[in-house]
Amino acid sequence: MVHLYYDSRTGNVQRFINKVVQITGWQAHQIADDIDVPEAGHLITYTTKIGSMPDKTVAFMNAYAEKIFSVTSSGNRNWGRNFGLAADKVSENYDVPLAMKFELSGTMEDINQFIDIIKNQYNDSKRGSKKLDIA
């Protein structure tokens, strides 16, 4: 069973996750202060403040990076080179492979691409182990 751990503020990531779960039946877990991470899985987050990782995502990764196979992020292409930058930062700071980026809540093409990537590329990936200070 594939486990997806996600952080959503405006609902874009939530809508993306809902579509993925409806198609695949995978388990989705929203990041919260009291989250239990029973199995390794994949992180889906959002980019905030035009290129930053959300604080909840940083705290989650500091606690569970070793259980994360890949990272995906939503973003807004209006931010130019900062589009989906949270995924790049998670990947770099925690040594977790970048699966993909999607705009806002993603298109059906994005959702199908994500499912394909997770099924075929990242289920046996090396897990991260670095930690960041929450500033």
Side-chain angles (χ1 to χ4, degrees), residues 64-75:
Y64 300 109
E66 72 281 354
K67 289 189 170 189
I68 300 301
F69 292 126
S70 73
V71 61
T72 294
S73 181
S74 71

Side-chain angles (χ1 to χ4, degrees), residues 5-7 29-38 55-57 59-60 63-64:
Y5 299 95
Y6 71 96
D7 197 358
H29 314 272
Q30 188 166 11
I31 294 173
D33 292 338
D34 61 347
I35 189 169
D36 180 35
V37 180
D55 291 341
K56 275 189 193 177
T57 296
F60 175 83
Y64 300 109

Side-chain angles (χ1 to χ4, degrees), residues 17-87:
I17 290 293
N18 290 347
K19 292 173 194 170
V20 170
V21 168
Q22 184 178 23
I23 292 167
T24 64
W26 294 345
Q27 293 291 312
H29 314 272
Q30 188 166 11
I31 294 173
D33 292 338
D34 61 347
I35 189 169
D36 180 35
V37 180
E39 300 290 333
H42 304 271
L43 173 65
I44 302 87
T45 191
Y46 61 94
T47 301
T48 189
K49 300 176 188 167
I50 309 179
S52 297
M53 291 185 293
D55 291 341
K56 275 189 193 177
T57 296
V58 172
F60 175 83
M61 289 303 295
N62 282 342
Y64 300 109
E66 72 281 354
K67 289 189 170 189
I68 300 301
F69 292 126
S70 73
V71 61
T72 294
S73 181
S74 71
N76 190 317
R77 292 195 190 278
N78 289 339
W79 294 352
R81 64 188 175 106
N82 293 327
F83 167 69
L85 198 57

Side-chain angles (χ1 to χ4, degrees), residues 42 69 97 117-127:
H42 304 271
F69 292 126
I117 288 169
I118 299 306
K119 280 183 176 178
N120 297 310
Q121 294 182 20
Y122 288 113
N123 271 329
D124 295 321
S125 294
K126 177 183 165 186
R127 297 181 197 145

